[in-house]
Amino acid sequence: MSGGWNTIESGMFATPSGVFTYLIESLGVKNVQFEELISLDPESLQQLNPIGVIFLFKYPTGEKSSRDKPLDGDFDYSVLSDQPTDPDAEPVWFAAQTIQNACGTQALLSVLLNKDGAEDGKVDIGPNLKEFKDFTSAFPSDLRGEALSNSDLIRDVHNSFARSSPFVSDESRLATEDDDVYHFIAYTSINATLYELDGLQPAPIRHGDPGACPPEIFSDAVVPVLQRRIARYPPTEIRFNLLAMCKDLRIQAKEIGDQEMLAREEQKRREWRWENALRRHNFVGLVGEVMKGVTAQKIKEGSYEKWVEEAKASTRKRGGGSAEEGPAGG
């Protein structure tokens, strides 16, 4: 394992709810899970009573940000000040993003570290994240980002969920306007105010008036904000994903005595564990051994040449070209 931050599948739908759920459990967070939303409406979101949401979208690499005014909402620099406007309000934990491959992990931490507590609507983030939050609480946002990038614990847990691939180079490059780059950001209610937390921005973005979004109406408030963001893209762009961070649904099932729901949630957890185990495993050696065994058997049977010709014909049929043409031909 390298000393850097590995990519956890930056493509669409490649970081499912199961990955994030077990990632935060590995960090010590208690009784929280993620659920993917297939429709963007307040009713579907409210059923989960979300703590916050994580939104994935194609990042416009050519778009220039402004420190004065975001495209939607307002930068709230006051929450980054040593002397906040409301001294009785809870401080907002916000970190600048200094790591290229960890925006998903940073987005979920942006929610969790602002929801730490024992009261209703809060989360038991565990001793490790609690210690990290206490250590960075007095830091400005840029130093919080540096502290996050240098956290061995968070980095090691993050990297443990990266897909095993022997063909990925350790070298990285800056994205250009021709690349498909995807980015995670977080939305949650803090001090009864709807905030967008994006480490690539200079400050938290406030949507709506201060105090106008208590947690119980978070779903109604955040959906129009997400709809406006999506509307900035062409109608043909559908590559978005929304994850709700919510209370462990197995707890809810037990509280209401819904055994069928509990069974579904337990089955979902088993599937998540299996999928996470598969993504960590390198199958190249297995595939190589299988191919060597099949090839040896075909040679032994005297059918190797026929097998190769049939494979070429099948490739031409699928791609409409010559099997020797390379990727463009099939």
Side-chain angles (χ1 to χ4, degrees):
M1 188 74 69
S2 69
W5 292 72
N6 299 332
T7 301
I8 303 182
E9 296 290 279
S10 60
M12 275 309 297
F13 303 107
T15 307
S17 49
V19 173
F20 275 179
T21 298
Y22 280 101
L23 191 155
I24 63 174
E25 285 192 0
S26 298
L27 288 170
V29 179
K30 307 294 184 184
N31 302 326
V32 174
Q33 73 175 71
F34 288 87
E35 281 292 301
E36 293 180 68
L37 276 298
I38 59 174
S39 63
L40 187 56
D41 62 88
E43 292 77 16
S44 299
L45 187 57
Q46 185 56 47
Q47 288 179 1
L48 296 169
N49 192 21
I51 302 163
V53 298
I54 309 298
F55 184 58
L56 172 67
F57 59 96
K58 183 179 176 181
Y59 190 78
T61 53
E63 187 175 277
K64 303 298 182 182
S65 61
S66 168
R67 295 189 64 88
D68 299 324
K69 176 73 175 176
L71 294 178
D72 190 22
D74 297 283
F75 288 126
D76 192 349
Y77 289 101
S78 68
V79 298
L80 303 180
S81 172
D82 293 334
Q83 297 178 332
T85 304
D86 183 359
D88 296 325
E90 296 182 16
V92 176
W93 194 93
F94 178 79
Q97 183 176 322
T98 63
I99 325 156
Q100 182 175 356
N101 298 328
C103 61
T105 296
Q106 179 154 343
L108 63 88
L109 289 176
S110 294
V111 176
L112 290 171
L113 297 185
N114 282 298
K115 292 293 183 178
D116 173 33
E119 59 267 33
D120 188 40
K122 298 292 186 176
V123 177
D124 181 358
I125 63 174
N128 294 320
L129 289 184
K130 178 66 174 175
E131 181 180 356
F132 176 77
K133 179 182 177 181
D134 292 343
F135 173 68
T136 59
S137 61
F139 291 179
S141 58
D142 55 342
L143 288 185
R144 286 179 181 172
E146 289 296 331
L148 175 57
S149 69
N150 289 312
S151 169
D152 291 336
L153 170 69
I154 299 174
R155 182 179 61 244
D156 290 347
V157 170
H158 168 95
N159 286 348
S160 73
F161 285 88
R163 184 180 294 278
S164 175
S165 175
F167 304 117
V168 176
S169 171
D170 287 336
E171 297 180 358
S172 61
R173 63 180 177 84
L174 295 177
T176 69
E177 294 186 27
D178 296 327
D179 291 325
D180 283 344
V181 179
Y182 295 91
H183 185 51
F184 288 97
I185 59 176
Y187 294 86
T188 191
S189 172
I190 309 170
N191 298 319
T193 301
L194 176 58
Y195 281 106
E196 174 185 330
L197 303 170
D198 178 358
L200 295 181
Q201 299 296 335
I205 298 175
R206 185 184 68 246
H207 293 278
D209 296 329
C213 180
E216 53 268 22
I217 69 165
F218 169 73
S219 298
D220 291 317
V222 74
V223 167
V225 175
L226 293 169
Q227 290 172 335
R228 290 197 297 271
R229 175 179 281 275
I230 292 173
R232 301 208 297 259
Y233 290 80
T236 53
E237 180 58 71
I238 60 173
R239 291 169 293 181
F240 303 99
N241 200 6
L242 182 65
L243 294 169
M245 182 187 293
C246 59
K247 183 179 179 180
D248 189 334
L249 294 179
R250 296 174 300 178
I251 296 177
Q252 178 182 335
K254 293 175 182 177
E255 289 174 346
I256 64 177
D258 190 335
Q259 295 302 315
E260 185 175 334
M261 176 183 177
L262 179 59
R264 287 199 307 269
E265 292 302 317
E266 292 290 3
Q267 176 62 28
K268 184 192 300 179
R269 291 294 181 122
R270 289 191 290 269
E271 292 172 356
W272 284 349
R273 284 193 292 269
W274 173 246
E275 291 168 0
N276 286 335
L278 287 180
R279 69 182 286 116
R280 291 165 168 165
H281 191 75
N282 179 2
F283 289 97
V284 173
L286 173 62
V287 172
E289 290 302 315
V290 170
M291 288 301 299
K292 285 193 288 186
V294 171
T295 302
Q297 183 64 28
K298 294 295 183 181
I299 294 174
K300 181 179 179 181
E301 294 172 351
S303 59
Y304 175 76
E305 296 297 334
K306 179 182 177 182
W307 177 53
V308 171
E309 290 304 318
E310 288 176 348
K312 289 181 179 180
S314 178
T315 300
R316 286 193 293 269
K317 184 177 179 180
R318 289 197 307 271
S322 168
E324 283 80 15
E325 289 176 355

